[in-house]
Amino acid sequence: MTNTINLHVPDALTASSSENYIVAVRLSAGGFSFAGFIPSENDSLFCGEISIDRTKPYIQAIKDIFFAHPFLAYTYRHTHVICANRQFTLVPENVYVEKQQNQLMNFIFASPDGKTLHKRLDDLDCEVIYGIQPEVYDFLSRSLLKYTFTHAIVPLLGIWLKQSVIAYPKQLFVSLYEDTMDAACFYRDNLLFINSFKYDDTADILYYILYIWKQTAMDQQQDRLVIHANADLHKSLKDTLQTYIVNIEFVQPQATDAGMQVPADITALFSCES
């Protein structure tokens, strides 16, 4: 993660031009990302990332970022607030009851964030329910205009589902971030597995990938592994994984003209807006 003080945006982004942009505010435990683009302009994508000050309460750190960067509260065409945390689960639509979602989160997670949100996935006929700190939700709701909340797994599942209908019988998709990985396994358009893991090193990543591969009875010769990660992680994982899995595709993060890497969930979300 880029450890900078200022969150930089293009000079062309001003209070008078902001309504041309679709933007995303991405919240994770250790980082804050702000990205955006103008749908009609191919070279307009930008992305900036700063570290969260862990010495402060999370809500105070978010407030400090907003107060230091007034452009975050400009009026945009639309603002997507992406919650990139591990507190999420999928519930089939035929058993989903909105008034019971808090109870479900309390059952699944030892320390749920307090406020539960949900997002319907029509193509998978389910609801993604996820947590966010109430204070953060309230602050962003007051600070932003034309916004929606979503979880980081939602746009990824949308992209992965579309890719799952190609020739390979099963596909395992993995998206790696600073210290977490999201993983989902599909058989054609059927979701077989989904989870998020915290990792400390590449040994953890290898363990989780091979564990999922075994649990979902994937074939070493026929099935496919797709990994979204930066070049350094590609190099450290490639040799070992190729010992066990034949079909592996490494996908590097999209980069802006300024060389900033865009998180995979933001790339997936923006691809639906283009």
Side-chain angles (χ1 to χ4, degrees):
M1 179 178 298
T2 305
N3 189 15
T4 58
I5 297 175
N6 293 317
L7 193 63
H8 296 291
V9 296
D11 293 338
L13 174 56
T14 64
S16 59
S17 69
S18 61
E19 290 194 80
N20 296 320
Y21 287 83
I22 293 173
V23 301
V25 171
R26 185 180 190 272
L27 309 173
S28 64
F32 180 101
S33 299
F34 183 65
F37 76 115
I38 299 174
S40 61
E41 297 184 11
N42 293 331
D43 299 326
S44 61
L45 177 67
F46 71 87
C47 184
E49 185 175 26
I50 57 177
S51 300
I52 292 288
D53 187 346
R54 293 176 180 261
T55 65
K56 300 178 180 179
Y58 192 80
I59 178 58
Q60 188 58 55
I62 296 299
K63 287 181 177 180
D64 289 348
I65 292 172
F66 265 75
F67 295 152
H69 305 93
F71 57 77
L72 291 171
Y74 284 173
T75 301
Y76 294 100
R77 182 182 302 187
H78 194 80
T79 300
H80 297 275
V81 181
I82 302 175
C83 299
N85 58 40
R86 295 175 56 228
Q87 286 197 7
F88 74 89
T89 191
L90 273 65
V91 181
E93 194 62 41
N94 60 349
V95 297
Y96 172 73
V97 180
E98 182 173 354
K99 65 182 179 181
Q100 295 179 357
Q101 61 185 18
N102 287 336
Q103 181 180 353
L104 180 59
M105 292 292 281
N106 288 329
F107 176 77
I108 296 174
F109 300 103
S111 301
D113 277 335
K115 184 173 183 61
T116 304
L117 302 176
H118 65 97
K119 185 74 173 181
R120 176 170 170 76
L121 284 173
D122 291 325
D123 291 336
L124 289 173
D125 197 26
C126 69
E127 295 278 344
V128 176
I129 64 174
Y130 58 98
I132 185 173
Q133 293 183 16
E135 299 86 354
V136 175
Y137 177 84
D138 291 341
F139 172 74
L140 294 177
S141 298
R142 295 193 305 269
S143 302
L144 302 173
L145 298 171
K146 301 179 183 178
Y147 63 89
T148 54
F149 284 82
T150 192
H151 192 274
I153 201 65
V154 171
L156 289 174
L157 282 174
I159 294 295
W160 293 343
L161 175 63
K162 292 178 181 178
Q163 295 177 3
S164 71
V165 297
I166 65 176
Y168 297 90
K170 291 181 183 177
Q171 296 184 85
L172 173 58
F173 298 94
V174 175
S175 185
L176 297 171
Y177 304 101
E178 182 183 23
D179 60 358
T180 60
M181 60 175 278
D182 295 329
C185 179
F186 285 87
Y187 174 63
R188 304 298 186 183
D189 57 353
N190 296 309
L191 180 62
L192 304 180
F193 176 95
I194 184 169
N195 209 339
S196 181
F197 305 91
K198 183 176 176 59
Y199 68 85
D200 294 321
D201 50 36
T202 55
D204 290 341
I205 299 171
L206 292 167
Y207 170 81
Y208 289 129
I209 289 175
L210 295 176
Y211 170 80
I212 298 167
W213 197 270
K214 181 178 180 180
Q215 288 295 107
T216 53
M218 297 184 73
D219 187 280
Q220 289 178 273
Q221 301 291 326
Q222 301 298 322
D223 297 332
R224 186 172 74 138
L225 170 64
V226 181
I227 302 178
H228 298 258
N230 61 41
D232 290 339
L233 277 174
H234 286 181
K235 293 177 182 177
S236 61
L237 295 170
K238 184 177 181 179
D239 290 342
T240 302
L241 284 172
Q242 287 184 331
T243 303
Y244 302 96
I245 302 169
V246 173
N247 298 308
I248 305 175
E249 179 183 351
F250 290 96
V251 181
Q252 293 193 31
Q254 182 181 10
T256 67
D257 288 345
M260 289 296 298
Q261 294 185 341
V262 184
D265 42 49
I266 293 181
T267 298
L269 187 149
F270 282 173
S271 70
C272 299
E273 300 274 8
S274 300

